[in-house]
Structures are given as C-alpha cells and as structure tokens.
Amino acid sequence: MPQLQRLAIAASQIQYPQITLTADQQHYLSRVLRLSVGDQFIAINGQGQAWIAEIAADAAQILEVVEMAPELPIVTTLLVALPKGTGFEDVIRQVTEMGVTCIQPLLSQRTLLKPSLHKLERWQRIAQEAAEQSERAVIPTILAPVAFSAALALATQISPTHHYLCVARGNAPHLLDCLRQSMNWMLTPPQTPLDGARGRSLIIATGPEGGWTDLEIKQAIAQKFQPVSLGKRVLRAVTAPLVAMSLVAAVCESRQQPAETPVNLRHP
Ligand code: SAM
C-alpha cells in the first residue's frame, strides 16, 4: 500500500463512518497534500486511534481501523524550563518525535523568556505537526507555563514516583542507570487501569540556560525528585530534554524488541 498522509482530527468530527472536515482541513488536504475526491489518508484522533479514510466532497468516509504501535509503554512528562528565543519550539518537535506524552513549560527563577498566552496554541500546533510527521498515534499535550514550585506540587499527582531532576554538575547518578533500575516496573503490563494511568509514568525536569538555583534543587529533592546526570558534558538547555527523552525511548524499546539474530560485534 502506498504511504498515506496523516491528518489529526478531533473526536467530535467523527459521526461513524463519516468524518466532517473543517475548511482548514479541506484546504490542507487539497492544496497542501494535493489529494482529491476518492484519495485516501490516515485520520488520527491524537489519543491512540487511527483510521484509513477516503475523501468525499466536503467530508471523508472511514474505510478501516489502522493498528498502530509507535507509542512508548510509559507516560513521560517533561518539565522544561523555557529557553530563550524560539528554542522551545525545537524542543517540542524533537521530544515529540522521541515519544513524549506531555510537556509542562516552566518559569524557573532563571528563566528569561516571558511567553505570551497565544504561544500555547502555536506550541500545541507544533506538537500536532511533529506527531503527524513521526507517525505517532498520540499528540502530546502542551500545558500552560507555570512556576517551578507549582509544577513540583503537581508532579506527585501526575506520577507518584519516578521524578528526575537533570543537574549539570555534581555526582548525581546517570539517568540511564536510574531508568534501567526501573526497567521491570516500566515494562510490566499494567494490572489495573490505575497502574496504567499513574504507576507507569515518569517525570523528568530540565533547567534553563543559567541552570537551577540551589533553592530550586532543594525544593525538588524535598518533593522526591532524584537529581540525575545526562553525562559529563554541560548540554544546552534545548539539548538536555532531547537527550533525556532519547534515553527513555532507548530503555523502553531496546528491551521490548530483542534482536531476532545475535548481533556480531566483530568485523568478519
Ligand atoms: N551553568 C548551568 C549549570 O551549571 O547548571 C548550565 C545549565 S544547562 C545549559 C541547562 C540545563 O540542562 C541544566 O539546568 C540541566 O537541567 C540540563 N543539563 C545540561 N547538561 C546536563 C548534564 N550533563 N547532566 C544533567 N543535566 C544537564
């Protein structure tokens, strides 16, 4: 089957088997993707479901369900101190490609950016486009920016355990080692819906260009955040979230899909 283009739709647009299309979506399908009546695309609802749909005049008909398995088996929330300029937009794109579930922008003590409210809509659109591009079934949620202390208070509600604070200096254990220790917990199938929603989730916080203040590190530790390292080099504020998210994906996926044939590490 040829590769089909993807389009995110809201649940309210589905009156099975029909999908109503907004004017913007009709424009996108016909003018940007160059599709016409009778052509097919994949509609995703951003919450894990997808369908092959065929374009009719101003709507689309659902033809069949698409089974998709590109999602990580855990819910990952990144608390990201807003970097300067438009760096946060790159962070959203890249961590969406790596499988993040939710991004909470932070206003920490050394955050320089003061975002305007309309940014949130733009950030959510960037997450949607990145999710479509990387063929994900879930569109990550981008929350409104909050103060660091407020995010710490919310963290326990999102995930009762497994909170990590990335610190650029000191002798903190590597995030990779911490994630490996959690491996069994992460990859054990949930026993109850509560397990699925809360037990298999983790939170990782990364700081701004100037780093965390000592007070912020103390506050986070008091809220059961484990300080962790991402290696011996100091990463840029826009690089750290991507590295953290790559480690989460690698730990989940390298164990989930064991190599079918032994890997030969020596050259022939
Ligand atoms: N001068 C700052 C300091 O000493 O903390 C550097 C901050 S760094 C540019 C921005 C953020 O990226 C840090 O607050 C931290 O969350 C994360 N980060 C950068 N390098 C890291 C590393 N090697 N290990 C863990 N976190 C790191």
Side-chain angles (χ1 to χ4, degrees):
M1 193 205 294
Q3 193 68 29
L4 295 180
Q5 302 282 357
R6 280 157 194 266
L7 179 73
I9 50 152
S12 58
Q13 290 180 260
I14 301 181
Q15 276 105 32
Y16 199 85
Q18 195 171 62
I19 300 174
T20 54
L21 296 170
T22 65
D24 278 354
Q25 289 168 335
Q26 289 174 41
H27 178 270
Y28 179 72
L29 288 168
S30 62
R31 298 296 164 91
V32 181
L33 300 183
R34 301 264 166 214
L35 299 178
S36 17
V37 171
D39 286 341
Q40 295 177 2
F41 67 95
I42 294 180
I44 60 170
N45 70 356
Q47 293 162 12
Q49 290 171 297
W51 303 266
I52 294 181
E54 185 177 286
I55 301 175
D58 55 358
Q61 290 291 322
I62 291 177
L63 301 181
E64 60 184 280
V65 172
V66 181
E67 297 298 337
M68 306 212 294
E71 295 302 323
L72 297 178
I74 53 164
V75 170
T76 308
T77 301
L78 289 182
L79 310 185
V80 181
L82 282 168
K84 283 184 292 187
T86 54
F88 188 59
E89 299 185 359
D90 291 331
V91 171
I92 294 173
R93 279 187 199 98
Q94 293 168 337
V95 298
T96 297
E97 288 168 39
M98 295 312 306
V100 74
T101 321
C102 176
I103 306 175
Q104 170 66 78
L106 296 180
L107 303 171
S108 70
Q109 287 177 9
R110 293 187 181 142
T111 300
L112 300 173
L113 189 79
K114 299 281 172 276
S116 59
L117 276 179
H118 73 268
K119 282 280 179 194
L120 187 56
E121 208 178 304
R122 175 170 169 77
W123 291 338
Q124 191 62 63
R125 203 169 54 244
I126 289 171
Q128 177 181 318
E129 286 166 8
E132 286 168 0
Q133 188 275 330
S134 54
E135 303 190 1
R136 286 191 58 184
V138 169
I139 299 171
T141 304
I142 316 296
L143 300 172
V146 293
F148 182 63
S149 52
L152 290 182
L154 283 171
T156 311
Q157 291 172 26
I158 299 172
S159 170
T161 55
H162 301 94
H163 306 160
Y164 303 105
L165 182 80
C166 296
V167 289
R169 295 169 202 281
N171 290 324
H174 201 292
L175 176 62
L176 180 61
D177 294 326
C178 295
L179 293 174
R180 278 191 180 137
Q181 273 182 15
S182 307
M183 177 84 80
N184 290 338
W185 152 78
M186 275 194 208
L187 299 182
T188 305
Q191 305 297 309
T192 65
L194 195 64
D195 275 355
R198 301 182 70 196
R200 289 150 55 82
S201 59
L202 56 83
I203 297 183
I204 304 175
T206 60
E209 288 84 354
W212 305 114
T213 62
D214 290 346
L215 179 63
E216 285 172 331
I217 294 177
K218 272 195 198 134
Q219 288 175 333
I221 291 172
Q223 294 280 351
K224 301 205 169 19
F225 273 72
Q226 161 74 57
V228 289
S229 166
L230 297 173
K232 295 189 195 308
R233 290 145 302 279
V234 176
L235 307 173
R236 293 173 63 215
V238 290
T239 311
L242 176 62
V243 171
M245 199 56 226
S246 312
L247 292 172
V248 172
V251 167
C252 292
E253 292 181 334
S254 60
R255 277 276 293 259
Q256 264 190 321
Q257 296 166 357
E260 280 172 15
T261 49
V263 180
N264 183 359
L265 295 175
R266 283 180 303 172
H267 291 293

